[in-house]
Amino acid sequence: VTIPETVTHEGTTYNVITIGENAFAESVRLTEVVLPESIATIERKAFYDCSRLKEITLPQSVTTIGELAFYHCVKLKSLNIPASVNNIGSKAFILCKGLTSLTVDNANTAYSSDNNIIYNKEQTLLVAAMSSYSGHLNLPATVTEIGENAFVECDGLSSIDMGNVTTIHDYAFFDCKGLKSITLPESVEKLGIGAFFNCTNLTTLKMNNNLHEMGERAFMRCISLNSIEFAGNNLVIGNHAFESCKNLSIGDISDCVSEIGDYAFASCIKHR
């Protein structure tokens, strides 16, 4: 599909500046898209589940990439974020399992990239990683936040050194089945909602003395989790935090925890 820069309707010529919400959603025969230099916005789910899309080049005119814009574009092999982009929506590249290259133009003033991972320009916030990312990851020392949905379904991610991270946002590691062990560095203070939800092969978790807030469903359905080292003395455990962790067995945590939410350990059949 080649999208024109202008269209004429009833004698009036219009510039094509937006790919609308769901414009090409589930277009399973779409293989290549040529965008004009007039496009400024790619809206939410614009190319959602275009499972055969292999090639698209984002022009320098694009400023916004919406939420779930390229969800499940499994044949897409590379994507370069141009210098003009200043807004990337949540889960924009989720389940693009075929991606081998995800980069940001060096001239971009809002975002940067390193090792196929997108950060803000200052590299204090990790924005998004490829779903196809694999192996061990050492985060740059500048990173203090792991963004919402950043590593969703990155099954190949086997381990991570979080460096100086203070906050892990909602669903950051949702369904990362390759993770087997997590050690939270002393810098981590907060885990968001569902931060490690459904990490089904996670077996061990080592907390730190400074973690004070664990969001709802943070480790829900981590069915292999059997060992937790609690630390500190003021941890608030959110609702359903360890629900359905059916192999979890823990001892007395009263010295470490100040509040336990509703159903925090529901269906933990080995809980004692």
Side-chain angles (χ1 to χ4, degrees):
V1 173
T2 298
I3 298 173
E5 190 165 325
T6 61
V7 293
T8 300
H9 177 65
E10 295 183 350
T12 302
T13 298
Y14 301 90
N15 291 324
V16 179
I17 61 173
T18 300
I19 307 297
E21 183 172 345
N22 293 302
F24 292 95
E26 300 180 355
S27 296
V28 295
R29 296 188 179 186
L30 183 67
T31 59
E32 181 181 356
V33 178
V34 179
L35 298 175
E37 289 294 333
S38 57
I39 294 294
T41 302
I42 298 173
E43 290 193 346
R44 184 177 184 271
K45 292 187 174 181
F47 296 98
Y48 182 93
D49 203 16
C50 291
S51 55
R52 295 184 184 178
L53 179 63
K54 295 181 179 180
E55 187 173 346
I56 186 170
T57 300
L58 303 181
Q60 292 295 328
S61 53
V62 173
T63 61
T64 299
I65 300 172
E67 180 185 16
L68 295 164
F70 294 96
Y71 172 91
H72 200 243
C73 292
V74 293
K75 296 291 187 181
L76 193 63
K77 296 185 182 301
S78 65
L79 193 64
N80 181 66
I81 310 301
S84 51
V85 171
N86 55 36
N87 184 23
I88 298 175
S90 177
K91 298 175 284 188
F93 318 109
I94 189 174
L95 293 185
C96 292
K97 296 287 189 178
L99 268 183
T100 58
S101 176
L102 180 61
T103 57
V104 177
D105 191 300
N106 289 332
N108 191 297
T109 58
Y111 297 101
S112 61
S113 61
D114 180 44
N115 196 21
N116 293 313
I117 294 175
I118 297 178
Y119 302 88
N120 64 353
K121 190 64 175 180
E122 298 78 16
Q123 291 201 348
T124 57
L125 170 66
L126 191 156
V127 177
M130 300 186 305
S131 294
S132 58
Y133 191 93
S134 63
H136 176 76
L137 175 62
N138 286 311
L139 292 185
T142 54
V143 176
T144 58
E145 297 179 67
I146 298 176
E148 181 178 345
N149 299 296
F151 288 95
V152 168
E153 296 195 31
C154 287
D155 290 344
L157 180 68
S158 58
S159 58
I160 182 169
D161 184 340
M162 298 185 190
N164 297 311
V165 167
T166 61
T167 303
I168 300 173
H169 288 283
D170 297 352
Y171 300 102
F173 293 94
F174 175 84
D175 210 16
C176 287
K177 291 182 171 62
L179 287 176
K180 295 182 178 180
S181 177
I182 289 293
T183 297
L184 300 178
E186 289 298 315
S187 56
V188 174
E189 299 174 355
K190 179 180 178 180
L191 299 180
I193 296 171
F196 294 92
F197 188 108
N198 208 46
C199 291
T200 53
N201 290 307
L202 184 66
T203 59
T204 60
L205 168 64
K206 185 175 182 180
M207 299 190 197
N208 64 42
N209 291 305
N210 297 312
L211 182 66
H212 61 80
E213 182 178 349
M214 180 183 295
E216 296 182 8
R217 302 185 294 278
F219 293 93
M220 186 174 177
R221 297 182 188 168
C222 292
I223 58 175
S224 299
L225 186 61
N226 57 52
S227 175
I228 302 179
E229 291 186 32
F230 283 89
N233 57 19
N234 194 33
L235 175 62
V236 175
I237 298 178
N239 299 338
H240 307 276
F242 293 98
E243 183 173 334
S244 299
C245 294
K246 61 183 181 180
N247 286 298
L248 182 61
S249 178
I250 61 173
D252 185 5
I253 59 175
S254 58
D255 291 338
C256 304
V257 176
S258 61
E259 183 177 335
I260 298 176
D262 295 340
Y263 306 101
F265 294 95
S267 301
C268 294
I269 57 176
K270 291 188 177 182
H271 173 59
R272 59 182 175 84

